Amino acid sequence: MHEFKYKGNYLCCEDIKVLDLTKQFGTPLYVYSYHTLIDHFVKLKIAFQEVEPLICYSVKANSTLAILKALVDKGAGLDIVSGGELSRAMKVGCPAEKIVYASVGKTDREIEEAIRRRILFFNVESLPELENINRIARGLNKIVNVAIRINPDVEPKTHKFITTGKLTNKFGIDFNSAYKIFLIRNKFSHLNICGLHIHIGSQITESTPYVAAITKMAKFIAKLKRRGIDLEYLNIGGGLGIIYDKETPQTAQKFAQNALPILKKTKLKIILEPGRFIAGNAGILVTKVLYIKSTPKKKFVIVDAGMNDLLRPALYDAYHQILPARTDNRAPITEKVDIVGPICESADFFAKDRRLSCVEEGDYLAIMGAGAYGFSMSSNYNSRRRAEEVLVIKDKVFVIRKRETHTNLTRNEIIPSFLLGL
Ligand code: PLP
C-alpha cells in the first residue's frame, strides 16, 4: 500500500498532484510520501511487537537526511555501512546505542570513529576484521561490542547481485569458523562478542529462506549455549521484498508469524535492518518525456531522467511500474516502447517493450517504487546534476535536497598550475 494514487486524471502523492510538483520543482524529481514511509516502519514494528525489536532502518536504501530524521523521530535505529553513513546518523540525532555497523571492508578510521561514538555494535564479517577491531579498541582502551555476521548458506531466491547469504558471497563467516572464533573469544581482550547477525539478501518475497536461515541460527545459538556461551542480540538483517511488478511478497505480519516462534525461543534481543520494505514504495522518480523516436525496429520514449538517477534497471534488469502523471482520453499506444534516458549507454533504460498509454512529448511519467536504492545509488555520470528530492505530507511539500548546480559538480576539482600556463 502506498499514498500514490490517481484522483480523477491526476496521479497524486498524498494530497498533491505530481504534475503540480513538476511545475514547481522541475524534473527529474524524486517525490516521497511521508505517510507511506512511516506506515511501513510502523507495520513492521507492530508485526514484531511480541519481541519488541530494535528496528535499525538500513541507511543505504535511502540516506537523505530528512528520510533518516523522519524515521529516527519515530524510534528507528540505523544500520550503517560506512563512516559517511555514521556521520549522517549523527547529524539526524540517532542515539548511538541504536546504531549497528556492517560492511566487509571497514577501514581503521571508520572503526575508530564508530568506537568513539559508542555505537551499539559492529557486525563483524571476517576473522581479520575481528582482530583489527580488537587492536583498535585496545589502542583506545575501550571494550567494544561486536556481533558475528554468519553466512548461513541459504538460497534467498532473489537476483544474484543482491544475494548475500551463500558461501560463494563475500559476506559473513560460515558456522564452523564462527564456532572456532567463539572458542577462542578470550583472545580478543577488548571485544565483547555479544551477538549474531545475518542478512541473506534483498527483495526476498518468500519466508522459506528466512525461516531456514533463522532456524540454522537458533540451532547455532543453542550449540553455543551448551558450551556456556551466552549472547544478548540476534540481528536478522533486512531483505523483505516489496511489490514492483507482479510479486506477491509476504506481508510483514506473515513474515513475523513465521519468524516469531523461532525468534522467541532464542530469548535474545531481536534487531531488524529493513531498508527497501520501509522506503521502496514511499518514493517515485518523476521524469519528462523529451522525444518520441521511431526507428525501423523500435519506438523509444526518451525521458530526462537517466540511469545516473535510477540505476536499478541497468544494474539488476529491475522492473519498475511506469505511470503517467496525467491520464486523459487519448488513445493508448498499441505498440510496445522502450523508455530510455539521455545517457550514452545502452543500459540507460527504465523499461523495455512496455505498453504505455497516453504518452506524448512533454508529458510527465512517474517511475514507481523508486524510494529505495534510487537516489542513494545515483551519480553524476555524464556530468549530470543529481535530481531534486521533495517530501510530501498531506497537502504540504518540502524540498529535502536541492537539485545540484554545475558549480557543485566541479567544486572539488583542481586544474594544476602547469595546465593553466602559470
Ligand atoms: N542489512 C544489510 C547488512 C544489508 O547489506 C542490507 C542491504 O544490502 C540491508 C540490511 C537492507 O536490505 P533491504 O533493503 O533489502 O531490507
Side-chain angles (χ1 to χ4, degrees):
M1 286 305 289
H2 55 72
E3 292 282 338
F4 295 93
K5 295 193 185 90
Y6 283 101
K7 294 185 183 162
N9 280 336
Y10 294 92
L11 181 67
C12 292
C13 176
E14 306 211 3
D15 295 337
I16 299 189
K17 286 179 187 159
V18 167
L19 206 57
D20 291 347
L21 295 173
T22 65
K23 285 183 195 140
Q24 205 177 340
F25 303 105
T27 51
L29 178 70
Y30 272 97
V31 179
Y32 303 108
S33 151
Y34 174 83
H35 284 105
T36 310
L37 184 79
I38 300 303
D39 280 358
H40 282 89
F41 172 69
V42 172
K43 250 182 210 152
L44 213 48
K45 204 172 158 172
I46 292 174
F48 279 87
Q49 67 191 355
E50 264 185 81
V51 291
E52 292 178 29
L54 171 60
I55 301 183
C56 293
Y57 165 70
S58 194
V59 173
K60 63 178 82 64
N62 186 321
S63 51
T64 302
L65 293 177
I67 300 289
L68 302 183
K69 177 89 169 83
L71 291 165
V72 165
D73 283 357
K74 292 287 171 194
L78 297 174
D79 153 48
I80 62 166
V81 289
S82 70
E85 289 192 350
L86 175 60
S87 144
R88 284 178 177 275
M90 293 289 120
K91 264 207 165 99
V92 298
C94 181
E97 67 275 11
K98 288 185 172 181
I99 298 175
V100 291
Y101 188 164
S103 159
V104 291
K106 304 172 189 87
T107 64
D108 290 4
R109 203 172 149 181
E110 287 173 321
I111 293 168
E112 208 178 301
E113 183 60 17
I115 294 176
R116 287 190 195 283
R117 297 286 187 179
R118 299 176 181 276
I119 63 164
L120 180 58
F121 57 72
F122 292 96
N123 292 313
V124 174
E125 310 234 12
S126 66
L127 181 56
E129 185 196 328
L130 201 65
E131 286 163 347
N132 197 33
I133 298 177
N134 186 50
R135 180 186 62 80
I136 296 171
R138 191 186 311 118
L140 295 171
N141 199 20
K142 294 255 163 64
I143 302 291
V144 169
N145 286 340
V146 298
I148 303 292
R149 176 167 178 176
I150 300 287
N151 184 321
D153 199 25
V154 294
E155 172 55 64
K157 300 185 191 160
T158 185
H159 190 283
K160 64 175 190 283
F161 287 2
I162 43 177
T163 292
T164 54
K166 299 271 299 163
L167 286 181
T168 45
N169 301 131
K170 66 179 173 180
F171 302 98
I173 301 173
D174 66 278
F175 280 113
N176 277 339
S177 307
Y179 188 61
K180 286 183 192 148
I181 287 174
F182 276 103
L183 296 185
I184 57 161
R185 67 195 179 286
N186 292 337
K187 222 184 93 183
F188 304 105
S189 55
H190 286 72
L191 299 184
N192 171 29
I193 308 182
C194 58
L196 293 174
H197 172 226
I198 42 165
H199 172 74
I200 59 173
S202 200
Q203 185 51 16
I204 301 168
T205 52
E206 293 176 26
S207 58
T208 333
Y210 273 114
V211 172
I214 298 170
T215 307
K216 282 186 174 187
M217 295 299 277
K219 279 191 189 146
F220 188 59
I221 290 161
K223 179 174 166 178
L224 291 175
K225 210 174 176 49
R226 285 196 297 275
R227 283 296 297 234
I229 301 167
D230 283 317
L231 299 171
E232 198 176 347
Y233 298 98
L234 173 58
N235 177 346
I236 61 169
L240 273 175
I242 62 169
I243 302 174
Y244 287 106
D245 185 10
K246 297 188 181 72
E247 301 94 341
T248 45
Q250 56 191 333
T251 58
Q253 220 176 357
K254 186 91 197 138
F255 172 47
Q257 239 172 43
N258 291 323
L260 276 172
I262 316 166
L263 296 179
K264 279 197 286 189
K265 269 193 210 147
T266 69
K267 298 200 166 59
L268 300 186
K269 291 183 193 152
I270 303 300
I271 295 179
L272 281 83
E273 300 173 335
R276 190 187 309 272
F277 182 83
I278 291 177
N281 282 325
I284 61 172
L285 172 61
V286 188
T287 183
K288 182 179 182 179
V289 176
L290 298 176
Y291 306 104
I292 297 184
K293 169 175 172 175
S294 294
T295 73
K297 295 244 161 136
K298 282 240 165 194
K299 190 162 194 165
F300 294 98
V301 173
I302 302 171
V303 297
D304 69 353
M307 63 190 280
N308 74 301
D309 297 303
L310 178 64
L311 188 60
R312 299 190 66 255
L315 190 60
Y316 312 130
D317 209 9
Y319 180 97
H320 283 266
Q321 193 184 15
I322 298 182
L323 298 175
R326 191 195 70 184
T327 58
D328 55 22
N329 297 326
R330 274 182 267 154
I333 288 185
T334 47
E335 75 259 68
K336 293 176 179 168
V337 297
D338 282 10
I339 301 168
V340 301
I343 289 180
C344 312
E345 301 281 344
S346 291
D348 182 28
F349 69 91
F350 295 114
K352 295 232 169 187
D353 293 322
R354 188 81 60 88
R355 274 186 214 284
L356 253 200
S357 61
C358 316
V359 72
E360 287 179 1
E361 289 175 3
D363 281 353
Y364 291 89
L365 298 175
I367 304 174
M368 307 301 288
Y373 307 103
F375 190 94
S376 61
M377 277 191 173
S378 69
S379 76
N380 295 118
Y381 186 44
N382 275 205
S383 286
R384 286 166 54 80
R385 297 172 301 153
R386 281 182 300 169
E388 186 134 320
E389 294 178 286
V390 297
L391 180 65
V392 173
I393 172 163
K394 293 194 176 159
D395 59 352
K396 295 207 163 42
V397 58
F398 299 88
V399 174
I400 58 171
R401 181 196 296 260
K402 290 188 202 158
R403 190 176 305 285
E404 284 175 327
T405 62
H406 288 137
T407 313
N408 289 153
L409 298 192
T410 51
R411 193 175 37 199
N412 294 330
E413 297 184 33
I414 300 161
I415 301 179
S417 54
F418 81 93
L419 288 175
L420 295 168
L422 300 172

